[in-house]
Amino acid sequence: MSFTYIDLFAGIGGFHQAASALGGKCVFASEIDAEAARAYAANYNMTPYGDITQIEAPEIPDHDVLLAGFPCQPFSIIGKKLGFDDIRGTLFFEIVRILKEKKPKLFILENVKQLKTHNNGNTLKTILKKLESLDYKVYNEVLNALDFGLPQKRERIIIAGFLNKNVNFSFPNPRLRGSLENVLEKDRVVDKKYFASERIAQKRKARHKSEYFPAIWHENKGGNISSYPYSCALRAGASYNYLLVNGERRLTPREMLRLQGFPDSFKIVCNDTQTRKQAGNAVPVNVIKAVLCEALNAQLPETGQEKPS
Ligand SMILES: C[S@@+](CC[C@H](N)C(=O)[O-])C[C@H]1O[C@@H](n2cnc3c(N)ncnc32)[C@H](O)[C@@H]1O
C-alpha cells in the first residue's frame, strides 16, 4: 500500500523501519541530536531536519500519516502547568500545531507507559482532549514488545488518531513470543570488551542462580538481581552492567538493535555509547508495524484496495 508519512523526534527511525516495510514513503523527518541524525541519514538516505520547534508547519510537506515518539519531557511540563489546557512550550505542542495545519488522515504517537498514570491520569486526559479537539477519533493502549515477537519487556503507550470518525479500530495484540537465541551472538564471536570483569561476574553468580539459559540478568537500583529468557526494557541512560547476558557480558549494539526489531541491514555508524543510547530511545519496530498495519486497514474502504500485511 502506498502512503506518505513524516517521522518526528525520529531518533534512529523505529517508525521509519515499520512504515517503509509497509510501503510508506517518508517525506520529512526531524531529529535534533546530531549523532542520531547521522545514523538516520546513513540508513535512510535522507538527512532529518533539526529542531522541530524551528520549522513553520506550512513548510512541512503534506502527508497521510504523522508518526512521533515524543520525548517524555513534555508531559512532566504539561503536568506542572497551571490549567491543563495550556500545552505551549511542550514538545507535544509541536505535534498539535503540525496536526492542526496539515490534517493527516492518521497519526500514531508513542510514549512511556507512565504517561497513563502521570498526575492521576490528568496529563493523558489533557493530551487526548487536545487531540480530539482537532477532530480526530483517538484510541490509546499500553502494548508490550514481548507480545510482538521481541524478547524484551518494554511497555509503551501508543496513541492512534483517525480523521475518519467512522473508523472502527482496535489495537493488535498477537501474543507472539520471540526467542532470545535469535537475538544473541554466540559468545565466542563477541569482542572481549563486552565481558564484565571476572570479579563482577563472580559476584553476580554468587548472588543469583538463573532458571533460564540463555537469560538476561537484570540488576535493579536496589541491587536485586533477577533473570528471564528475555531482556528488561533497554534504557538510554542505564548504567553499564545493568543488563548482563547470562550474568557475564553486556549486550552488543547489534543485539540491542535486534531487541528493538531493527534488521541486521541497519548500518551502525556511531560509537557504542551513542548506539546504546539510540537503541534505548527507539520504538520497537514490530509493535509499530503491527499497529500501523491495523490502522491502515481500518482506514481502507471494505473493498477495492489491497490490504497491507
Ligand atoms: C524517545 S526518542 C524517539 C526515538 C525514535 N522513535 C526511534 O525509534 O529512534 C525522542 C527523540 O526526540 C529528539 N528530540 C528532542 N527534542 C527535539 C526537537 N526539539 N526537535 C527534534 N527532535 C527532538 C531526541 O533527540 C530523541 O532522539
Side-chain angles (χ1 to χ4, degrees):
M1 182 192 192
S2 65
F3 62 97
T4 55
Y5 67 92
I6 66 167
D7 191 4
L8 304 178
F9 310 104
I12 53 168
F15 279 106
H16 191 118
Q17 291 282 347
S20 61
L22 294 173
K25 179 177 175 355
C26 187
V27 293
F28 175 84
S30 157
E31 171 52 55
I32 202 169
D33 180 273
E35 281 297 284
R38 191 162 73 81
Y40 198 97
N43 279 283
Y44 310 121
N45 223 358
M46 68 184 290
T47 302
Y49 183 91
D51 187 351
I52 193 64
T53 66
Q54 300 304 307
I55 187 163
E56 299 292 337
E59 288 175 41
I60 294 176
D62 291 342
H63 49 276
D64 301 312
V65 184
L66 177 149
L67 302 168
F70 60 110
C72 316
Q73 166 263 339
F75 71 79
S76 46
I77 299 185
I78 294 168
K80 278 191 201 117
K81 290 220 172 219
L82 289 176
F84 283 106
D85 291 338
D86 187 4
I87 57 158
R88 281 169 302 176
T90 70
L91 291 174
F92 172 64
F93 174 73
E94 304 302 320
I95 296 171
V96 169
R97 73 181 174 85
I98 296 167
L99 286 174
K100 216 181 228 170
E101 171 74 27
K102 305 305 284 190
K103 288 278 167 181
K105 295 189 195 90
L106 168 68
F107 65 76
I108 296 178
L109 313 180
E110 179 245 8
N111 212 301
V112 294
K113 171 183 136 177
Q114 289 75 7
L115 177 58
K116 195 135 189 153
T117 46
H118 184 260
N119 223 316
N120 296 322
N122 283 318
T123 305
L124 179 62
K125 219 186 265 171
T126 305
I127 285 175
L128 298 177
K129 212 169 87 190
K130 195 78 209 170
L131 295 168
E132 281 160 0
S133 77
L134 302 176
D135 248 4
Y136 281 89
K137 186 168 178 185
V138 184
Y139 298 79
N140 76 90
E141 186 79 275
V142 172
L143 298 175
N144 189 343
L146 261 188
D147 294 325
F148 290 77
L150 294 173
Q152 182 191 180
K153 182 174 180 223
R154 188 180 188 87
E155 294 175 291
R156 288 293 185 269
I157 187 166
I158 309 289
I159 304 173
F162 299 82
L163 209 48
N164 174 2
K165 293 271 184 59
N166 296 321
V167 89
N168 192 7
F169 171 76
S170 50
F171 282 96
N173 202 345
R175 307 218 180 262
L176 252 181
R177 294 285 167 241
S179 109
L180 207 46
E181 274 97 342
N182 293 341
V183 162
L184 298 178
E185 305 283 1
K186 303 279 167 271
D187 275 356
R188 64 187 155 73
V189 301
V190 173
D191 193 294
K192 281 207 288 292
K193 70 179 177 183
Y194 295 106
F195 283 79
S197 68
E198 193 62 22
R199 191 182 60 84
I200 288 184
Q202 290 302 338
K203 244 172 93 183
R204 293 286 157 99
K205 287 180 183 174
R207 285 165 53 208
H208 182 75
K209 301 270 172 281
S210 183
E211 284 175 54
Y212 309 102
F213 189 89
I216 306 285
W217 294 35
H218 169 236
E219 185 177 46
N220 71 11
K221 284 200 183 119
N224 288 323
I225 301 171
S226 52
S227 61
Y228 303 98
Y230 51 81
S231 174
C232 292
L234 300 181
R235 293 205 322 250
S239 70
Y240 215 40
N241 294 317
Y242 147 76
L243 298 172
L244 288 181
V245 178
N246 300 322
E248 292 174 341
R249 68 164 179 88
R250 292 175 286 279
L251 290 155
T252 66
R254 177 61 71 200
E255 289 170 331
M256 289 186 184
L257 289 164
R258 287 182 190 147
L259 282 172
Q260 293 283 45
F262 282 69
D264 282 7
S265 55
F266 182 89
K267 296 186 206 97
I268 298 176
V269 296
C270 301
N271 66 25
D272 280 12
T273 308
Q274 290 297 330
T275 309
R276 192 178 317 121
K277 174 176 143 196
Q278 292 161 2
N281 263 336
V283 67
V285 176
N286 301 29
V287 174
I288 297 305
K289 194 172 167 200
V291 171
L292 184 56
C293 185
E294 204 65 37
L296 291 167
N297 280 335
Q299 288 228 115
L300 295 174
E302 282 303 303
T303 54
Q305 287 197 48
E306 197 189 323
K307 293 194 167 197
S309 56

